[in-house]
Amino acid sequence: MAFARTYAVTLVGVEGIIVEVQADLEPGVASFALVGLPDKTLVESRDRVRAAVANAGIEWPQRKLTIGLSPASVPKSGSGFDLAVATAVLGAAELIDPRSLTDLVMIGELGLDGRVRPVRGVLPAVLAAAEAGYEQVVVPECSAAEAALVPGISVLGVRSLRQLVAVLTDTPVPDEEPDAPGRPDPLLSGFSFPGAGIGAPSQTADGRRLDFADVAGQHLARGALEVAAAGGHHIYLKGPPGAGKTMLAERLPGIMPALDRTAALEVTAVHSVAGVLQAGGPLLSRPPYCAPHHSATMQSLVGGGNGLPRPGAVSLAHRGVLFLDEAPEFGAKALDALRQPLESGHVVIARAAGVVRLPAQFLMVLAANPCPCGRHGTQGDPCDCMPSVVRRYQARLSGPLLDRVDLRVDVDRVSRAELIGTGKRGESTETVAARVLEARQRAEQRLAGTPWRTNGEVSGHALRTRWHAATGAMQAAERELERGMLSARGLDRVLRVAWTVADLRGHDQPDAGDVEAALQLRTGISRGVPSIAGGAR
Protein backbone atom coordinates (compact mmCIF):
# COMPACT_ATOMS: atom_id res chain seq x y z
CA MET A 1 0.00 0.00 0.00
CA ALA A 2 1.22 3.55 -0.88
CA PHE A 3 -0.19 6.68 0.71
CA ALA A 4 0.26 10.47 0.41
CA ARG A 5 -1.58 13.55 1.59
CA THR A 6 -1.72 17.23 0.79
CA TYR A 7 -4.19 20.00 1.47
CA ALA A 8 -6.76 22.10 -0.37
CA VAL A 9 -9.52 24.53 0.64
CA THR A 10 -13.28 24.37 0.18
CA LEU A 11 -15.32 27.57 0.41
CA VAL A 12 -18.58 27.94 2.30
CA GLY A 13 -19.76 31.37 1.26
CA VAL A 14 -16.64 33.51 1.67
CA GLU A 15 -15.15 31.41 4.45
CA GLY A 16 -12.61 28.66 3.75
CA ILE A 17 -12.27 25.23 5.37
CA ILE A 18 -9.01 23.31 5.08
CA VAL A 19 -9.51 19.89 3.46
CA GLU A 20 -6.99 17.08 3.70
CA VAL A 21 -6.66 15.34 0.34
CA GLN A 22 -5.55 11.74 0.88
CA ALA A 23 -4.45 9.35 -1.87
CA ASP A 24 -4.24 5.60 -1.35
CA LEU A 25 -2.90 3.13 -3.94
CA GLU A 26 -3.47 -0.61 -3.53
CA PRO A 27 -2.92 -3.65 -5.76
CA GLY A 28 -5.97 -4.58 -7.79
CA VAL A 29 -7.98 -3.66 -10.84
CA ALA A 30 -7.21 -0.11 -11.97
CA SER A 31 -9.92 2.22 -10.70
CA PHE A 32 -10.39 5.75 -9.37
CA ALA A 33 -12.74 6.38 -6.42
CA LEU A 34 -13.36 9.83 -4.97
CA VAL A 35 -15.05 10.00 -1.54
CA GLY A 36 -15.85 12.79 0.94
CA LEU A 37 -19.08 14.50 -0.28
CA PRO A 38 -17.78 15.86 -3.62
CA ASP A 39 -20.13 17.75 -5.92
CA LYS A 40 -20.52 17.07 -9.66
CA THR A 41 -17.66 19.38 -10.63
CA LEU A 42 -15.33 17.70 -8.17
CA VAL A 43 -16.36 14.20 -9.24
CA GLU A 44 -15.37 15.10 -12.80
CA SER A 45 -11.85 15.87 -11.56
CA ARG A 46 -11.10 12.14 -11.98
CA ASP A 47 -11.05 12.53 -15.75
CA ARG A 48 -9.33 15.94 -15.72
CA VAL A 49 -6.54 14.76 -13.40
CA ARG A 50 -5.92 11.52 -15.30
CA ALA A 51 -5.68 13.32 -18.65
CA ALA A 52 -3.52 16.13 -17.20
CA VAL A 53 -1.03 13.68 -15.70
CA ALA A 54 -0.78 11.69 -18.94
CA ASN A 55 -0.33 14.82 -21.08
CA ALA A 56 2.35 16.07 -18.70
CA GLY A 57 4.42 13.04 -19.70
CA ILE A 58 3.95 11.20 -16.40
CA GLU A 59 2.84 7.58 -16.21
CA TRP A 60 -0.53 7.09 -14.52
CA PRO A 61 -0.44 4.37 -11.81
CA GLN A 62 -2.43 1.34 -12.95
CA ARG A 63 -3.69 0.31 -9.53
CA LYS A 64 -6.73 0.72 -7.32
CA LEU A 65 -6.79 4.42 -6.37
CA THR A 66 -8.92 5.97 -3.63
CA ILE A 67 -8.98 9.72 -3.00
CA GLY A 68 -10.41 10.78 0.36
CA LEU A 69 -11.44 14.34 1.23
CA SER A 70 -11.44 15.00 4.96
CA PRO A 71 -13.43 16.08 6.92
CA ALA A 72 -15.84 13.80 5.12
CA SER A 73 -18.94 15.45 6.58
CA VAL A 74 -18.29 18.84 4.91
CA PRO A 75 -19.62 19.25 1.34
CA LYS A 76 -16.86 20.03 -1.18
CA SER A 77 -17.43 21.86 -4.42
CA GLY A 78 -15.53 23.33 -7.32
CA SER A 79 -12.60 22.44 -9.54
CA GLY A 80 -9.97 23.96 -7.26
CA PHE A 81 -9.11 20.53 -5.84
CA ASP A 82 -7.57 19.27 -9.10
CA LEU A 83 -4.01 20.29 -8.30
CA ALA A 84 -4.10 18.75 -4.81
CA VAL A 85 -5.62 15.51 -6.12
CA ALA A 86 -3.00 15.18 -8.88
CA THR A 87 -0.02 15.76 -6.57
CA ALA A 88 -1.43 13.42 -3.92
CA VAL A 89 -1.73 10.66 -6.55
CA LEU A 90 1.84 11.25 -7.71
CA GLY A 91 3.00 11.24 -4.10
CA ALA A 92 1.26 7.93 -3.43
CA ALA A 93 2.91 6.51 -6.59
CA GLU A 94 6.28 7.74 -5.19
CA LEU A 95 6.89 9.88 -8.25
CA ILE A 96 7.03 12.78 -5.77
CA ASP A 97 8.38 12.57 -2.24
CA PRO A 98 5.18 12.44 -0.09
CA ARG A 99 6.97 14.38 2.66
CA SER A 100 7.24 17.43 0.36
CA LEU A 101 3.44 17.66 0.15
CA THR A 102 2.45 17.58 3.80
CA ASP A 103 2.90 21.33 4.45
CA LEU A 104 1.50 22.61 1.16
CA VAL A 105 -1.97 23.95 0.33
CA MET A 106 -2.82 23.53 -3.35
CA ILE A 107 -5.47 25.56 -5.19
CA GLY A 108 -6.09 25.25 -8.92
CA GLU A 109 -7.97 23.58 -11.74
CA LEU A 110 -6.23 21.36 -14.27
CA GLY A 111 -6.85 21.46 -17.97
CA LEU A 112 -6.66 18.26 -19.96
CA ASP A 113 -3.30 19.41 -21.34
CA GLY A 114 -1.84 19.81 -17.84
CA ARG A 115 -2.14 23.60 -17.67
CA VAL A 116 -3.15 25.03 -14.29
CA ARG A 117 -6.23 27.20 -14.67
CA PRO A 118 -7.44 29.89 -12.24
CA VAL A 119 -10.43 29.36 -9.99
CA ARG A 120 -12.72 31.69 -8.08
CA GLY A 121 -12.09 32.43 -4.43
CA VAL A 122 -8.28 32.24 -4.30
CA LEU A 123 -8.01 35.11 -1.80
CA PRO A 124 -10.45 33.73 0.83
CA ALA A 125 -8.91 30.27 0.36
CA VAL A 126 -5.42 31.60 1.06
CA LEU A 127 -6.74 33.60 4.02
CA ALA A 128 -8.16 30.36 5.45
CA ALA A 129 -4.81 28.62 4.93
CA ALA A 130 -2.98 31.42 6.73
CA GLU A 131 -5.41 31.33 9.65
CA ALA A 132 -4.90 27.55 9.90
CA GLY A 133 -1.14 28.05 10.24
CA TYR A 134 0.05 27.08 6.76
CA GLU A 135 2.88 29.12 5.29
CA GLN A 136 3.10 27.84 1.71
CA VAL A 137 0.44 27.74 -1.00
CA VAL A 138 0.52 26.74 -4.65
CA VAL A 139 -1.83 28.62 -6.98
CA PRO A 140 -2.18 29.24 -10.72
CA GLU A 141 0.42 31.66 -12.01
CA CYS A 142 -2.20 34.24 -13.01
CA SER A 143 -3.66 34.19 -9.46
CA ALA A 144 -0.33 34.59 -7.64
CA ALA A 145 -0.77 38.36 -7.23
CA GLU A 146 -4.17 37.81 -5.60
CA ALA A 147 -2.78 35.17 -3.22
CA ALA A 148 0.17 37.40 -2.34
CA LEU A 149 -2.22 39.94 -0.81
CA VAL A 150 -2.28 37.74 2.31
CA PRO A 151 0.69 38.60 4.57
CA GLY A 152 2.94 35.87 5.93
CA ILE A 153 2.26 33.42 3.10
CA SER A 154 4.82 32.10 0.61
CA VAL A 155 3.12 31.85 -2.79
CA LEU A 156 4.25 29.61 -5.63
CA GLY A 157 2.54 30.37 -8.93
CA VAL A 158 2.68 27.63 -11.53
CA ARG A 159 1.41 27.51 -15.09
CA SER A 160 1.38 23.75 -15.56
CA LEU A 161 1.52 20.47 -13.68
CA ARG A 162 4.90 19.78 -15.24
CA GLN A 163 6.33 22.91 -13.65
CA LEU A 164 4.96 21.96 -10.21
CA VAL A 165 6.36 18.42 -10.41
CA ALA A 166 9.75 19.85 -11.40
CA VAL A 167 9.75 22.18 -8.38
CA LEU A 168 8.75 19.37 -5.99
CA THR A 169 11.35 16.96 -7.39
CA ASP A 170 14.10 19.59 -7.55
CA THR A 171 14.64 19.24 -11.30
CA PRO A 172 14.92 21.99 -13.93
CA VAL A 173 11.62 23.79 -14.40
CA PRO A 174 10.43 23.52 -18.02
CA ASP A 175 9.40 26.57 -20.00
CA GLU A 176 5.86 26.52 -21.31
CA GLU A 177 5.28 27.49 -24.91
CA PRO A 178 4.13 31.11 -25.05
CA ASP A 179 0.71 31.89 -26.36
CA ALA A 180 0.29 33.73 -29.64
CA PRO A 181 1.09 37.43 -29.11
CA GLY A 182 -1.91 39.72 -28.97
CA ARG A 183 -4.35 36.95 -28.13
CA PRO A 184 -6.12 36.73 -24.77
CA ASP A 185 -4.80 34.21 -22.28
CA PRO A 186 -6.82 31.00 -22.83
CA LEU A 187 -6.42 30.10 -19.17
CA LEU A 188 -8.72 32.98 -18.23
CA SER A 189 -11.51 31.91 -20.57
CA GLY A 190 -14.73 31.60 -18.61
CA PHE A 191 -13.06 32.56 -15.32
CA SER A 192 -14.88 35.85 -14.78
CA PHE A 193 -18.60 36.45 -15.11
CA PRO A 194 -19.27 39.99 -16.40
CA GLY A 195 -22.61 41.72 -16.41
CA ALA A 196 -23.22 41.57 -12.65
CA GLY A 197 -23.90 45.29 -12.40
CA ILE A 198 -20.57 45.85 -10.63
CA GLY A 199 -18.60 49.06 -10.87
CA ALA A 200 -19.68 52.64 -11.34
CA PRO A 201 -18.46 54.30 -14.53
CA SER A 202 -15.28 56.21 -13.69
CA GLN A 203 -15.46 58.47 -16.71
CA THR A 204 -18.04 60.27 -18.80
CA ALA A 205 -18.58 59.42 -22.46
CA ASP A 206 -16.06 62.08 -23.52
CA GLY A 207 -13.35 60.71 -21.22
CA ARG A 208 -13.68 63.13 -18.30
CA ARG A 209 -13.59 61.83 -14.74
CA LEU A 210 -16.93 61.75 -12.92
CA ASP A 211 -17.14 64.80 -10.69
CA PHE A 212 -19.72 66.03 -8.21
CA ALA A 213 -19.32 69.47 -9.76
CA ASP A 214 -21.00 68.11 -12.92
CA VAL A 215 -24.32 67.91 -11.05
CA ALA A 216 -26.37 70.98 -11.86
CA GLY A 217 -28.30 72.39 -8.91
CA GLN A 218 -29.72 69.78 -6.50
CA HIS A 219 -28.13 71.41 -3.45
CA LEU A 220 -30.35 69.50 -1.00
CA ALA A 221 -29.64 66.14 -2.66
CA ARG A 222 -25.90 66.86 -2.80
CA GLY A 223 -25.90 67.67 0.91
CA ALA A 224 -27.90 64.53 1.67
CA LEU A 225 -25.42 62.36 -0.24
CA GLU A 226 -22.60 63.98 1.71
CA VAL A 227 -24.37 63.04 4.94
CA ALA A 228 -24.95 59.51 3.63
CA ALA A 229 -21.26 59.07 2.77
CA ALA A 230 -20.06 60.52 6.08
CA GLY A 231 -22.32 58.43 8.30
CA GLY A 232 -23.10 55.34 6.22
CA HIS A 233 -26.81 56.20 6.04
CA HIS A 234 -29.21 54.70 3.49
CA ILE A 235 -30.91 57.23 1.22
CA TYR A 236 -34.07 57.42 -0.88
CA LEU A 237 -34.08 59.77 -3.90
CA LYS A 238 -37.53 60.55 -5.30
CA GLY A 239 -38.11 62.71 -8.32
CA PRO A 240 -39.16 62.93 -11.98
CA PRO A 241 -37.14 61.37 -14.81
CA GLY A 242 -34.07 63.34 -15.84
CA ALA A 243 -33.68 65.16 -12.53
CA GLY A 244 -30.27 63.58 -11.87
CA LYS A 245 -30.92 60.71 -9.46
CA THR A 246 -28.67 58.22 -11.28
CA MET A 247 -26.05 60.90 -11.85
CA LEU A 248 -25.90 61.59 -8.13
CA ALA A 249 -25.74 57.90 -7.18
CA GLU A 250 -22.87 57.19 -9.60
CA ARG A 251 -20.79 59.91 -7.94
CA LEU A 252 -21.42 58.74 -4.39
CA PRO A 253 -18.53 56.18 -4.24
CA GLY A 254 -16.13 58.95 -5.24
CA ILE A 255 -16.75 60.95 -2.05
CA MET A 256 -16.55 57.92 0.25
CA PRO A 257 -13.22 57.27 2.01
CA ALA A 258 -10.89 54.60 0.67
CA LEU A 259 -11.11 51.17 2.29
CA ASP A 260 -8.62 50.25 5.00
CA ARG A 261 -6.69 47.01 4.52
CA THR A 262 -9.10 44.86 6.54
CA ALA A 263 -12.13 46.12 4.63
CA ALA A 264 -10.26 45.88 1.32
CA LEU A 265 -9.47 42.21 1.97
CA GLU A 266 -13.13 41.54 2.82
CA VAL A 267 -14.36 43.19 -0.38
CA THR A 268 -11.73 41.57 -2.58
CA ALA A 269 -12.52 38.14 -1.09
CA VAL A 270 -16.24 38.50 -1.87
CA HIS A 271 -15.54 39.58 -5.45
CA SER A 272 -13.07 36.72 -5.86
CA VAL A 273 -15.67 34.15 -4.77
CA ALA A 274 -18.27 35.70 -7.07
CA GLY A 275 -15.94 35.52 -10.07
CA VAL A 276 -16.02 39.26 -10.82
CA LEU A 277 -12.42 39.92 -9.76
CA GLN A 278 -9.97 40.09 -12.61
CA ALA A 279 -7.19 37.53 -12.33
CA GLY A 280 -4.01 39.22 -11.15
CA GLY A 281 -5.95 42.34 -10.24
CA PRO A 282 -4.86 44.47 -7.30
CA LEU A 283 -6.49 44.75 -3.90
CA LEU A 284 -9.79 46.62 -4.18
CA SER A 285 -9.15 49.82 -2.25
CA ARG A 286 -12.20 51.83 -3.31
CA PRO A 287 -15.80 51.25 -2.16
CA PRO A 288 -17.56 48.99 -4.70
CA TYR A 289 -20.66 50.04 -6.58
CA CYS A 290 -23.37 47.57 -7.58
CA ALA A 291 -26.43 48.59 -9.60
CA PRO A 292 -28.56 45.53 -10.52
CA HIS A 293 -31.39 45.84 -13.02
CA HIS A 294 -34.91 46.07 -11.61
CA SER A 295 -35.70 42.63 -13.07
CA ALA A 296 -33.24 41.05 -10.59
CA THR A 297 -34.61 38.13 -8.58
CA MET A 298 -34.46 37.79 -4.82
CA GLN A 299 -31.66 35.21 -5.16
CA SER A 300 -29.54 37.55 -7.28
CA LEU A 301 -29.96 40.32 -4.72
CA VAL A 302 -29.30 38.50 -1.44
CA GLY A 303 -27.44 35.44 -2.78
CA GLY A 304 -28.38 31.96 -3.87
CA GLY A 305 -27.85 29.38 -6.56
CA ASN A 306 -27.66 25.60 -6.77
CA GLY A 307 -25.90 23.88 -3.90
CA LEU A 308 -24.22 26.25 -1.47
CA PRO A 309 -25.36 29.85 -2.10
CA ARG A 310 -23.08 32.34 -3.80
CA PRO A 311 -22.85 36.08 -3.06
CA GLY A 312 -25.62 38.32 -4.35
CA ALA A 313 -25.73 42.04 -5.03
CA VAL A 314 -25.88 42.95 -1.34
CA SER A 315 -22.57 41.14 -0.75
CA LEU A 316 -20.95 42.47 -3.91
CA ALA A 317 -21.77 45.95 -2.57
CA HIS A 318 -20.19 45.17 0.83
CA ARG A 319 -18.44 48.30 2.19
CA GLY A 320 -19.75 50.19 -0.82
CA VAL A 321 -22.93 51.35 -2.55
CA LEU A 322 -25.97 49.32 -3.65
CA PHE A 323 -27.98 51.42 -6.10
CA LEU A 324 -31.53 50.31 -6.88
CA ASP A 325 -32.74 52.48 -9.74
CA GLU A 326 -36.48 52.39 -10.46
CA ALA A 327 -36.87 50.80 -7.03
CA PRO A 328 -40.68 50.32 -7.22
CA GLU A 329 -40.18 48.13 -10.29
CA PHE A 330 -38.26 45.52 -8.24
CA GLY A 331 -40.22 42.54 -6.98
CA ALA A 332 -41.84 43.00 -3.57
CA LYS A 333 -40.23 39.84 -2.17
CA ALA A 334 -36.82 40.92 -3.45
CA LEU A 335 -37.10 44.33 -1.78
CA ASP A 336 -38.37 42.96 1.51
CA ALA A 337 -35.49 40.47 1.56
CA LEU A 338 -33.19 43.47 2.01
CA ARG A 339 -34.61 44.27 5.42
CA GLN A 340 -32.46 41.78 7.35
CA PRO A 341 -29.06 42.75 5.83
CA LEU A 342 -29.94 46.44 6.22
CA GLU A 343 -30.19 45.91 9.98
CA SER A 344 -27.51 43.29 10.65
CA GLY A 345 -24.83 43.98 8.03
CA HIS A 346 -24.83 40.37 6.86
CA VAL A 347 -27.18 37.89 5.22
CA VAL A 348 -27.77 34.30 6.34
CA ILE A 349 -28.98 31.94 3.59
CA ALA A 350 -30.18 28.43 4.42
CA ARG A 351 -30.27 25.78 1.71
CA ALA A 352 -30.39 21.98 1.72
CA ALA A 353 -26.63 21.88 1.15
CA GLY A 354 -25.91 24.07 4.17
CA VAL A 355 -26.18 27.48 5.78
CA VAL A 356 -24.01 30.35 4.54
CA ARG A 357 -23.33 33.69 6.23
CA LEU A 358 -22.27 36.39 3.76
CA PRO A 359 -21.13 39.95 4.58
CA ALA A 360 -23.55 42.64 3.43
CA GLN A 361 -22.69 45.96 5.06
CA PHE A 362 -23.56 48.39 2.31
CA LEU A 363 -24.95 51.88 1.77
CA MET A 364 -28.24 51.56 -0.10
CA VAL A 365 -29.48 54.22 -2.52
CA LEU A 366 -33.08 53.90 -3.68
CA ALA A 367 -34.26 55.96 -6.64
CA ALA A 368 -37.85 56.20 -7.77
CA ASN A 369 -40.21 58.26 -9.87
CA PRO A 370 -43.23 59.75 -8.08
CA CYS A 371 -45.63 57.77 -10.32
CA PRO A 372 -45.58 55.52 -13.40
CA CYS A 373 -45.49 58.49 -15.79
CA GLY A 374 -43.02 60.35 -13.58
CA ARG A 375 -44.81 63.70 -13.57
CA HIS A 376 -46.86 63.52 -10.37
CA GLY A 377 -46.37 66.71 -8.35
CA THR A 378 -44.35 68.53 -11.02
CA GLN A 379 -45.28 72.00 -12.19
CA GLY A 380 -46.24 72.76 -15.76
CA ASP A 381 -46.46 69.11 -16.79
CA PRO A 382 -49.66 67.47 -15.51
CA CYS A 383 -49.67 63.83 -14.44
CA ASP A 384 -51.80 61.37 -16.45
CA CYS A 385 -52.01 58.74 -13.70
CA MET A 386 -55.15 58.05 -11.70
CA PRO A 387 -54.80 58.73 -7.94
CA SER A 388 -55.29 55.04 -7.20
CA VAL A 389 -52.49 54.16 -9.64
CA VAL A 390 -50.16 56.64 -7.94
CA ARG A 391 -50.97 55.19 -4.51
CA ARG A 392 -50.37 51.62 -5.67
CA TYR A 393 -47.11 52.60 -7.33
CA GLN A 394 -45.76 54.35 -4.24
CA ALA A 395 -46.93 51.50 -1.99
CA ARG A 396 -44.57 49.09 -3.75
CA LEU A 397 -41.88 50.31 -1.36
CA SER A 398 -43.12 48.87 1.91
CA GLY A 399 -43.25 50.83 5.14
CA PRO A 400 -40.85 48.48 6.99
CA LEU A 401 -38.27 48.91 4.21
CA LEU A 402 -38.53 52.70 4.12
CA ASP A 403 -38.39 52.81 7.92
CA ARG A 404 -34.83 51.49 7.62
CA VAL A 405 -33.83 54.32 5.26
CA ASP A 406 -32.38 57.27 7.17
CA LEU A 407 -32.53 59.95 4.46
CA ARG A 408 -35.41 60.80 2.11
CA VAL A 409 -34.90 63.52 -0.45
CA ASP A 410 -37.09 64.96 -3.21
CA VAL A 411 -34.98 65.53 -6.32
CA ASP A 412 -36.78 68.22 -8.31
CA ARG A 413 -36.12 69.24 -11.87
CA VAL A 414 -33.28 71.70 -12.24
CA SER A 415 -33.94 75.26 -13.34
CA ARG A 416 -32.88 76.68 -16.69
CA ALA A 417 -30.20 78.81 -15.07
CA GLU A 418 -28.74 75.84 -13.21
CA LEU A 419 -28.78 73.60 -16.27
CA ILE A 420 -27.07 75.97 -18.71
CA GLY A 421 -24.44 76.89 -16.13
CA THR A 422 -25.23 80.51 -15.32
CA GLY A 423 -25.53 79.69 -11.63
CA LYS A 424 -22.71 78.96 -9.20
CA ARG A 425 -20.92 75.67 -9.92
CA GLY A 426 -21.13 73.05 -7.18
CA GLU A 427 -18.22 71.73 -5.16
CA SER A 428 -15.92 69.14 -6.70
CA THR A 429 -15.62 65.53 -5.63
CA GLU A 430 -12.25 66.21 -4.00
CA THR A 431 -13.64 69.03 -1.84
CA VAL A 432 -16.64 67.01 -0.65
CA ALA A 433 -14.55 63.85 -0.12
CA ALA A 434 -12.12 65.75 2.13
CA ARG A 435 -14.99 66.96 4.30
CA VAL A 436 -16.49 63.46 4.44
CA LEU A 437 -13.14 61.99 5.48
CA GLU A 438 -12.80 64.55 8.28
CA ALA A 439 -16.30 63.69 9.55
CA ARG A 440 -15.53 59.96 9.40
CA GLN A 441 -12.38 60.51 11.44
CA ARG A 442 -14.33 62.41 14.10
CA ALA A 443 -16.84 59.56 14.31
CA GLU A 444 -14.11 56.90 14.48
CA GLN A 445 -12.42 58.70 17.37
CA ARG A 446 -15.72 58.84 19.24
CA LEU A 447 -16.54 55.18 18.50
CA ALA A 448 -13.06 53.84 19.29
CA GLY A 449 -13.26 50.65 21.32
CA THR A 450 -16.74 49.77 20.05
CA PRO A 451 -17.78 47.35 17.27
CA TRP A 452 -19.02 50.30 15.17
CA ARG A 453 -17.15 52.50 12.72
CA THR A 454 -19.81 54.88 11.40
CA ASN A 455 -22.82 56.60 12.93
CA GLY A 456 -25.17 54.59 10.73
CA GLU A 457 -24.09 51.36 12.47
CA VAL A 458 -24.56 52.46 16.10
CA SER A 459 -27.42 50.77 17.93
CA GLY A 460 -30.31 52.80 19.27
CA HIS A 461 -29.64 51.72 22.85
CA ALA A 462 -26.04 52.93 22.68
CA LEU A 463 -27.14 56.25 21.22
CA ARG A 464 -29.66 56.84 23.99
CA THR A 465 -27.33 55.80 26.82
CA ARG A 466 -23.82 56.83 25.74
CA TRP A 467 -23.95 59.56 23.11
CA HIS A 468 -26.57 62.18 23.91
CA ALA A 469 -27.53 65.26 21.96
CA ALA A 470 -27.28 68.67 23.62
CA THR A 471 -29.85 69.48 26.27
CA GLY A 472 -33.22 70.17 24.66
CA ALA A 473 -31.92 69.47 21.13
CA MET A 474 -34.23 66.46 20.63
CA GLN A 475 -37.48 68.24 21.52
CA ALA A 476 -38.60 68.64 17.89
CA ALA A 477 -37.94 64.96 17.16
CA GLU A 478 -39.73 63.85 20.32
CA ARG A 479 -42.79 65.88 19.30
CA GLU A 480 -42.80 64.09 15.94
CA LEU A 481 -42.70 60.78 17.82
CA GLU A 482 -45.73 61.78 19.90
CA ARG A 483 -47.62 62.86 16.78
CA GLY A 484 -46.97 59.49 15.15
CA MET A 485 -44.76 60.95 12.40
CA LEU A 486 -41.78 58.94 13.68
CA SER A 487 -41.48 55.38 14.94
CA ALA A 488 -39.15 54.43 17.78
CA ARG A 489 -36.67 53.21 15.16
CA GLY A 490 -37.14 56.47 13.30
CA LEU A 491 -36.28 58.51 16.41
CA ASP A 492 -33.04 56.56 16.83
CA ARG A 493 -32.20 57.14 13.17
CA VAL A 494 -32.81 60.88 13.51
CA LEU A 495 -30.26 60.93 16.32
CA ARG A 496 -27.80 58.95 14.18
CA VAL A 497 -28.14 61.42 11.32
CA ALA A 498 -27.88 64.36 13.74
CA TRP A 499 -24.51 63.04 14.92
CA THR A 500 -23.32 62.84 11.29
CA VAL A 501 -24.50 66.40 10.57
CA ALA A 502 -22.70 67.52 13.75
CA ASP A 503 -19.51 65.77 12.60
CA LEU A 504 -19.71 67.50 9.22
CA ARG A 505 -20.27 70.89 10.86
CA GLY A 506 -17.52 70.36 13.41
CA HIS A 507 -19.79 70.24 16.47
CA ASP A 508 -18.83 68.19 19.51
CA GLN A 509 -22.49 67.36 20.18
CA PRO A 510 -25.65 67.61 18.07
CA ASP A 511 -27.53 70.84 18.74
CA ALA A 512 -31.10 71.80 17.85
CA GLY A 513 -30.04 72.86 14.34
CA ASP A 514 -28.37 69.52 13.67
CA VAL A 515 -31.49 67.66 14.82
CA GLU A 516 -33.72 69.90 12.65
CA ALA A 517 -31.53 69.06 9.65
CA ALA A 518 -31.75 65.35 10.48
CA LEU A 519 -35.54 65.59 10.79
CA GLN A 520 -35.76 67.29 7.41
CA LEU A 521 -33.71 64.52 5.84
CA ARG A 522 -35.67 61.77 7.62
CA THR A 523 -39.20 63.00 6.93
CA GLY A 524 -38.65 64.77 3.62
CA ILE A 525 -40.52 67.80 5.00
CA SER A 526 -38.70 71.11 4.58
CA ARG A 527 -37.90 72.87 7.85
CA GLY A 528 -36.03 75.82 6.40
CA VAL A 529 -32.59 74.43 7.23
CA PRO A 530 -30.19 76.48 5.05
CA SER A 531 -27.28 74.03 4.98
CA ILE A 532 -27.62 70.30 5.56
CA ALA A 533 -23.95 69.30 5.36
CA GLY A 534 -20.68 71.03 6.10
CA GLY A 535 -20.27 73.00 2.91
CA ALA A 536 -21.40 76.28 4.45
CA ARG A 537 -20.22 76.25 8.02
Side-chain angles (χ1 to χ4, degrees), residues 318-349:
H318 180 57
R319 303 288 186 184
V321 176
L322 176 67
F323 177 46
L324 302 183
D325 199 7
E326 306 293 346
E329 301 296 339
F330 282 79
K333 290 184 177 180
L335 289 175
D336 285 337
L338 299 176
R339 286 153 56 177
Q340 184 235 347
L342 285 174
E343 284 290 323
S344 63
H346 62 267
V347 58
V348 178
I349 307 172

Side-chain angles (χ1 to χ4, degrees), residues 235-262:
I235 184 170
Y236 175 34
L237 303 175
K238 181 181 177 181
K245 302 185 293 295
T246 301
M247 190 178 188
L248 286 162
E250 289 177 346
R251 284 155 177 78
L252 179 56
I255 64 174
M256 297 174 67
L259 303 174
D260 59 29
R261 182 162 183 86
T262 301

Side-chain angles (χ1 to χ4, degrees), residues 6-8 100-106 134 136-138 164 168:
T6 189
Y7 297 90
S100 65
L101 304 176
T102 54
D103 295 325
L104 290 178
V105 174
M106 310 247 183
Y134 292 90
Q136 294 181 309
V137 297
V138 180
L164 177 58
L168 294 175

Side-chain angles (χ1 to χ4, degrees), residues 220 224 227 406-409 497 517-524 532:
L220 178 61
V227 172
D406 295 349
L407 314 176
R408 305 173 188 178
V409 181
V497 177
L519 269 174
Q520 177 171 321
L521 290 172
R522 172 67 184 180
T523 62
I532 295 294

Side-chain angles (χ1 to χ4, degrees), residues 178-193:
D179 297 316
R183 295 182 61 184
D185 192 338
L187 296 181
L188 302 180
S189 176
F191 168 62
S192 181
F193 294 91

Side-chain angles (χ1 to χ4, degrees), residues 85 115 117 126 139 143 173 179 195 197 215 245 312 437 443 458 491 528:
V85 171
R115 295 289 188 95
R117 302 176 61 91
V126 176
V139 299
S143 299
V173 179
D179 297 316
V215 181
K245 302 185 293 295
L437 179 60
V458 183
L491 183 66

Side-chain angles (χ1 to χ4, degrees), residues 215 217 219 417-418 421-426:
V215 181
H219 303 294
E418 292 171 330
T422 58
K424 183 180 178 181
R425 194 168 185 259

Side-chain angles (χ1 to χ4, degrees), residues 73-84:
S73 59
V74 176
K76 290 88 176 176
S77 62
S79 58
F81 288 82
D82 290 1
L83 205 56

